Amino acid sequence: MLPTLHQQRDALREKRVTSLSLTEAALARAQDEAGEGARVFTRLYAAAALAEARAADLLRAAGIERSAIDGLPISIKDLFDVRGEPTLSGSIARRAEAPASADAEVVRRLRAAGAVIVGKTNMSEFAYSGLGLNPHYGTPANPWDRASGRIPGGSSSGAAVSVSDGMAVAAIGSDTGGSVRIPSALCGLTGFKPSAQRVSMQGVLPLSASLDSIGPLAASVRCCITLDAILSGEPSDAVQPLPLAGLRLAVPATVALDDLDAEVSQAFEAALARLSRAGVRIESLAIPEFAELADINAQGGFTAAEAYAWHRELLQRQGERYDPRVRTRILRGQAISAADYLDLLQRRRDWIAAVQARIAPFDALAMPTTAGIAPPIAPLAADDALFAATNMRMLRNCTFINFLDGCALSLPCHAPGSAPVGLMLAGANGSDRRMLAIGLAVEAALAA
């Protein structure tokens, strides 16, 4: 079991560890040539992190604790601005770009809370894949069955492995179609995708302004609640577990349960059975709109259109330095006209209204975070068609919630020692606290 933020905080308070010792240990793992650190981080802030840790220890000795994460090693995804350096977003195409003039708002809030930022984590280039492969910086291997070299999930690939391998106590990632939840699910972590407007995107290199959101990857639901509170500016103590008895969970009968790996199906059904025994009312719900989404996004959707708008000038200058798979997907947006985009906006409004009406009687949706367990990296790196098909399958369930403009939590539901599988709990826009409260209760029931 990974230590939680609160266990590490308590260890600091009780003087069993220091921020410096925690940070030195995290950096040692990141710099271990036998480990995944070289593929986990695109930048490691060793000197700055040690200085921040010493400062946190001095403040704590003086009786000052800035937050529950004060003095704890945290990693940030390589799309957040850090003053004085270009924001690479997992690419080599932006190495010569102007340095950021200020920290992203997310980074500023973490620093104000006393986080020790150990480094920027690797990712699918420009966040445009759910698998986590990166041809420029390498692909960190999943902690499960590491000898087989399985994907970590993406796009927040390095974020997940930084936590699973003890290089950070928690990580901050982004989620446009599952990029927090997919790596959390595949690496056995808990990840939270908030409603998009909840956390500031100031100073974040976007993929799709209509779909992007910022969230944590960590060891527990309570960890995610604490980090979400810091990022959003809302109090964390307002979130307490909801009673499970009488809770209504809707399991989508449309698309979300199609083509599941046996391991995913078994873990999901076992989790539902445990929740049912705890008093949760679980009901199958047809959501025909889920079957319509592939057609709505047939031209590439918001991601292709908005990514092309952002990248078109850089593509002209540095296009040959992009991952060819990413470049191809971005260029799909070139064919999307203004009229197509306006049609897409209207279809999304109609789609959201219809889905919200169907799920309104329920407390949350429950479905597998991903349809499959983590596959090996090597075949995907070698085969474009396999990569594309696997990417779409891995993104499928998470994408429903981004298009809904909702919020979702992925938490582990697999048996110890088996392939990691995520259970996703999701709701409509603005139901973040309720989803986290449900998550606390579900997490406890699954651990009982």
Side-chain angles (χ1 to χ4, degrees):
M1 293 289 289
L2 290 171
T4 67
L5 293 174
H6 307 89
Q7 289 169 338
Q8 298 285 41
R9 176 203 62 192
D10 292 345
L12 285 168
R13 287 176 175 175
E14 296 163 10
K15 297 182 173 57
R16 288 184 280 118
V17 297
T18 63
S19 176
L20 183 60
S21 67
L22 290 175
T23 302
E24 287 175 336
L27 291 171
R29 295 184 188 102
Q31 294 169 323
D32 181 358
E33 293 182 0
E36 294 297 308
R39 291 170 290 280
V40 164
F41 291 99
T42 57
R43 291 183 189 270
L44 199 61
Y45 301 130
L50 293 171
E52 290 169 351
R54 292 186 184 98
D57 286 333
L58 286 172
L59 288 171
R60 182 168 282 103
I64 299 169
E65 183 181 85
R66 289 166 285 184
S67 79
I69 68 167
D70 195 357
L72 297 182
I74 305 289
S75 70
I76 58 172
K77 191 173 179 176
D78 189 27
L79 44 59
F80 296 107
D81 283 354
V82 169
R83 184 173 63 85
E85 63 188 42
T87 303
L88 301 179
S89 199
S91 181
I92 59 173
R94 284 184 49 81
R95 283 181 174 171
E97 298 301 297
S101 60
D103 287 347
E105 177 64 13
V106 163
V107 176
R108 189 195 67 77
R109 290 189 177 209
L110 289 169
R111 292 196 197 281
V116 174
I117 298 177
V118 291
K120 280 189 173 180
T121 52
N122 194 10
M123 54 187 282
S124 304
E125 187 183 49
F126 294 118
Y128 214 160
S129 163
L131 303 182
L133 276 65
N134 188 303
H136 310 301
Y137 300 101
T139 302
N142 195 301
W144 175 69
D145 190 21
R146 181 153 282 164
S148 297
R150 295 176 180 268
I151 68 166
S155 62
S156 305
S157 52
V161 181
S162 76
V163 178
S164 71
D165 284 28
M167 304 171 197
V169 181
I172 308 300
S174 66
D175 192 308
T176 307
S179 291
V180 162
R181 290 162 289 158
I182 293 167
S184 293
L186 297 187
C187 293
L189 304 174
T190 302
F192 179 56
K193 174 247 178 295
S195 299
Q197 78 282 359
R198 186 171 174 84
V199 178
S200 172
M201 287 290 295
Q202 181 274 321
V204 183
L205 199 152
L207 175 57
S208 167
S210 294
L211 302 173
D212 292 342
S213 55
I214 305 301
L217 302 85
S220 72
V221 177
R222 182 59 72 184
C223 294
C224 289
I225 291 169
T226 295
L227 289 162
D228 172 73
I230 290 166
L231 299 181
S232 68
E234 294 194 3
S236 62
D237 54 8
V239 181
Q240 298 300 326
L242 285 180
L244 286 179
L247 203 70
R248 295 184 71 193
L249 295 184
V251 177
T254 313
V255 181
L257 302 183
D258 294 351
D259 188 30
L260 301 182
D261 283 358
E263 297 92 334
V264 173
S265 180
Q266 291 164 9
F268 180 65
E269 291 300 328
L272 293 185
R274 298 187 81 164
L275 295 176
S276 181
R277 290 193 294 270
V280 178
R281 295 167 58 190
I282 297 169
E283 304 174 41
S284 179
L285 177 67
I287 308 179
E289 292 77 17
F290 279 15
E292 299 168 5
L293 190 55
D295 178 68
I296 292 172
N297 286 331
Q299 290 182 279
F302 288 109
T303 308
E306 293 171 353
Y308 178 71
W310 193 94
H311 283 269
R312 62 189 187 276
E313 188 274 334
L314 184 62
L315 278 166
Q316 289 178 352
R317 291 189 289 111
Q318 298 284 346
E320 74 285 352
R321 307 192 77 191
Y322 278 57
D323 175 353
R325 290 169 170 171
V326 171
R327 183 177 64 237
T328 297
R329 291 199 294 282
I330 292 173
L331 286 172
R332 291 185 70 195
Q334 193 172 20
I336 298 174
S337 68
D340 294 332
Y341 186 77
L342 292 173
D343 286 345
L344 185 61
L345 287 169
Q346 184 58 54
R347 293 187 75 179
R348 187 189 190 196
R349 285 190 288 267
D350 294 342
W351 192 93
I352 289 173
V355 174
Q356 285 183 340
R358 291 188 192 279
I359 69 176
F362 298 90
D363 292 289
L365 290 171
M367 65 187 102
T369 307
T370 63
I373 62 170
I377 295 167
L380 296 167
D383 188 328
D384 287 349
L386 178 64
F387 178 95
T390 306
N391 187 48
M392 293 301 294
R393 182 169 176 253
M394 201 63 69
L395 290 163
R396 184 191 70 197
N397 287 2
C398 287
T399 298
F400 294 136
I401 309 307
N402 294 84
F403 203 77
L404 180 63
D405 198 19
C407 56
L409 184 71
S410 179
L411 58 160
C413 67
H414 56 285
S418 62
V421 174
L423 168 66
M424 181 161 59
L425 302 170
N429 186 280
S431 62
D432 301 72
R433 285 190 182 184
R434 184 166 185 80
M435 217 48 51
L436 290 165
I438 293 170
L440 281 173
V442 168
E443 179 183 59
L446 295 181

